[in-house]
Amino acid sequence: MFKAVVSIRLRPSILDPQGKAVMHALSNLGFGAIAEARIGKLIELSVEADSAEEARSVATSACEKLLANPVMEDFEIDVEALEPAV
Amino acid sequence: MFKAVVSIRLRPSILDPQGKAVMHALSNLGFGAIAEARIGKLIELSVEADSAEEARSVATSACEKLLANPVMEDFEIDVEALEPAV
């Protein structure tokens, strides 16, 4: 069993209204040191696979088919082994 | 200038309906190898600070005051240096 941690970020050229709202709230709270905020998604998948490569390929395919919007978003996948549930 | 990457995850004991919906969609698409999906947030903050420690402390404070819900969520912060905009 592997854990695939998928980080999905808006492409840099895409406007991020949710990030702007967070920035605004941070400014109101006095966080003047924060210059920009961008919001993405973090998806953790538990994948049954024989190898990390296989788990990564399943996660990549899930991103391409469902999780990420290829026009607006980039994704990145980290795979780590999970101990089997005994 | 530093980039603080904030990973916000639901605590393991908290039900994740959005993750369940994604799981359901993945099953329908034939991703039988994926046993669980949990959805979190990935927030990237650009922080003006003199050191990585200072940037981390600003980001931690922003999480505690605004970004994360301490009852339901855990957060984790990675700080990396950004090249100054020339």
Side-chain angles (χ1 to χ4, degrees):
Chain A
M1 184 77 104
F2 293 85
K3 183 165 79 167
V5 179
V6 180
S7 305
I8 301 181
R9 296 173 169 87
L10 279 177
R11 287 175 183 245
S13 58
I14 303 281
L15 191 71
D16 178 6
Q18 198 187 353
K20 295 267 181 248
V22 165
M23 261 311 295
H24 190 72
L26 286 170
S27 305
N28 287 348
L29 288 170
F31 287 98
I34 299 179
E36 201 191 0
R38 286 182 76 84
I39 318 280
K41 279 177 288 184
L42 183 77
I43 303 182
E44 290 186 342
L45 302 173
S46 305
V47 186
E48 305 255 14
D50 295 328
S51 67
E53 288 67 36
E54 191 189 326
R56 177 180 299 275
S57 117
V58 169
T60 304
S61 162
C63 283
E64 287 166 351
K65 291 196 185 147
L66 179 73
L67 303 174
N69 174 343
V71 177
M72 294 172 53
E73 294 170 332
D74 290 318
F75 64 87
E76 208 180 287
I77 299 171
D78 288 312
V79 176
E80 56 195 77
L82 282 181
E83 291 175 53
V86 183
Chain B
M1 186 75 107
F2 293 84
K3 183 166 79 167
V5 180
V6 179
S7 305
I8 301 180
R9 295 174 168 87
L10 280 177
R11 287 174 183 246
S13 57
I14 304 280
L15 191 71
D16 177 6
Q18 200 187 353
K20 295 267 182 246
V22 165
M23 260 311 295
H24 190 74
L26 286 170
S27 304
N28 287 347
L29 287 171
F31 286 99
I34 299 179
E36 201 191 359
R38 284 182 78 83
I39 318 280
K41 278 177 287 186
L42 184 76
I43 303 182
E44 289 187 344
L45 302 173
S46 306
V47 186
E48 305 255 12
D50 295 328
S51 67
E53 289 68 35
E54 191 189 327
R56 178 182 298 275
S57 118
V58 168
T60 304
S61 163
C63 283
E64 287 166 352
K65 291 196 185 145
L66 179 72
L67 303 174
N69 172 343
V71 177
M72 293 171 53
E73 294 171 333
D74 290 319
F75 64 86
E76 207 181 285
I77 299 173
D78 289 312
V79 175
E80 56 195 78
L82 282 181
E83 290 175 55
V86 183

